[in-house]
Amino acid sequence: FSNTVNYAVIALYPVSMNFWAMMTNNLHPFDTITQIDAPTKFYLMNLNDGSVIDGFESWDPNLIFSTHHMNAWEEGDEVVFDLACNPWDVLASFMDLETMLNHPITEDDESIFVMKRVRLNISTKEVTVEDWPNQREIPMLNTVDFPMINENYVGYKNRFAYGWVSIDYWRQTLVKKDLENSMNDKTWSRPSHYPGEVFFIPNPEGEGEDDGVVVTVVFDGEMEQSYILLLDGKTFEEINYSYLPHNVPFTFHGNWFPELY
């Protein structure tokens, strides 16, 4: 879920797991995922009194399943939020070992994930789905997962977003999106280098939304060694990197905790 200042945004996807079938699927619940013939439903929970606003439904195929909410905010009578949308069976198929080991090389120019902006009209219950801007017309730029923002903007409209793109598993790119002027979109990648989810550390003395450092763990496939990578939040250029004494497996989630610094 995501949250605005006043609401928690909750999505109910038409996807279910059959826990009774786990015994015949090596106890892997994701292998039992099935799609249900139903719309995606959204609910707004009032953070002040706990009341719930329902009635938001969409049959848009992009909204059948999503792995991540990026952010949400309020605009007049609307609640707006950005979703990382995925194929409904992605949790069962994407990490399949045989598929990962024997995936063919393709000419694909985008990943199987895609970012969508969703608007819920509180008055009419209308659900509107929009594409992210992409003035550079590079398909990859809107197909990110693990979206991250400056968390000082959680619940408020953000301009900048950071994310991870994986095409054919091995072609991996980090992306900085400017959602107000997408001609400013930026990328980082190196051949045979495999980054993970990024984290944004804001400059405590900064004033701009993107004034900070983007951090991720990268696996150097040539040296077979992991390293910490620091990127400038504004320019998306390398600040520095440091190889680690141990290899770090691919991680799905983490965060920056300034109180531990």
Side-chain angles (χ1 to χ4, degrees):
F1 70 95
S2 53
N3 64 273
T4 70
V5 174
N6 294 299
Y7 299 102
V9 183
I10 301 169
L12 184 63
Y13 304 109
V15 176
S16 178
M17 287 185 287
N18 181 357
F19 289 98
W20 293 107
M22 286 177 55
M23 298 301 295
T24 57
N25 286 275
N26 298 313
L27 297 180
H28 295 163
F30 290 156
D31 288 347
T32 71
I33 287 179
T34 57
Q35 182 181 355
I36 300 171
D37 185 19
T40 297
K41 299 179 179 181
F42 297 99
Y43 299 87
L44 299 178
M45 177 178 289
N46 191 303
L47 298 176
N48 300 301
D49 59 20
S51 60
V52 176
I53 304 175
D54 60 7
F56 304 101
E57 296 185 356
S58 176
W59 288 91
D60 189 303
N62 290 294
L63 301 185
I64 292 175
F65 188 69
S66 168
T67 47
H68 301 101
H69 289 232
M70 187 182 81
N71 193 23
W73 60 92
E74 299 165 34
E75 291 185 5
D77 289 338
E78 293 183 326
V79 169
V80 187
F81 53 100
D82 290 328
L83 289 177
C85 301
N86 324 103
W88 67 268
D89 62 345
V90 66
L91 295 179
S93 60
F94 190 74
M95 300 301 290
D96 178 77
L97 186 58
E98 287 300 316
T99 301
M100 296 177 71
L101 290 174
N102 301 293
H103 194 277
I105 297 175
T106 72
E107 299 297 325
D108 292 348
D109 57 2
E110 60 185 0
S111 77
I112 62 173
F113 313 106
V114 63
M115 293 298 300
K116 294 291 182 178
R117 177 158 293 178
V118 183
R119 295 179 177 272
L120 306 181
N121 189 298
I122 297 176
S123 299
T124 66
K125 303 300 175 67
E126 181 181 6
V127 179
T128 305
V129 183
E130 302 174 346
D131 293 327
W132 267 8
N134 190 358
Q135 293 172 274
R136 296 179 63 186
E137 298 182 351
I138 302 174
M140 173 189 69
L141 294 175
N142 283 4
T143 61
V144 304
D145 199 10
F146 304 118
M148 176 61 62
I149 66 169
N150 180 337
E151 293 199 345
N152 291 331
Y153 286 77
V154 169
Y156 301 92
K157 186 175 183 179
N158 61 285
R159 174 175 177 175
F160 301 105
Y162 305 88
W164 171 88
V165 175
S166 176
I167 302 174
D168 293 341
Y169 292 98
W170 57 272
R171 288 188 284 150
Q172 297 186 2
T173 305
L174 300 180
V175 172
K176 177 189 178 181
K177 285 288 298 183
D178 184 335
L179 296 168
E180 293 183 5
N181 184 359
S182 58
M183 289 299 295
N184 295 328
D185 290 352
K186 296 175 172 58
T187 63
W188 178 94
S189 65
R190 284 188 184 181
S192 300
H193 286 232
Y194 309 99
E197 180 184 25
V198 300
F199 314 109
F200 183 87
I201 303 175
N203 180 350
E205 299 179 355
E207 296 182 358
E209 179 186 337
D210 59 348
D211 189 353
V213 178
V214 177
V215 181
T216 188
V217 176
V218 185
F219 182 74
D220 182 334
E222 296 178 347
M223 294 186 62
E224 298 184 352
Q225 192 172 356
S226 299
Y227 63 91
I228 291 284
L229 172 67
L230 307 181
L231 299 175
D232 186 297
K234 289 181 175 290
T235 66
F236 220 48
E237 296 178 353
E238 291 183 19
I239 298 174
N240 211 336
Y241 60 90
S242 177
Y243 281 91
L244 302 172
H246 306 286
N247 284 338
V248 179
F250 183 83
T251 59
F252 284 104
H253 297 300
N255 213 331
W256 162 255
F257 300 96
E259 63 271 18
L260 299 180
Y261 176 70

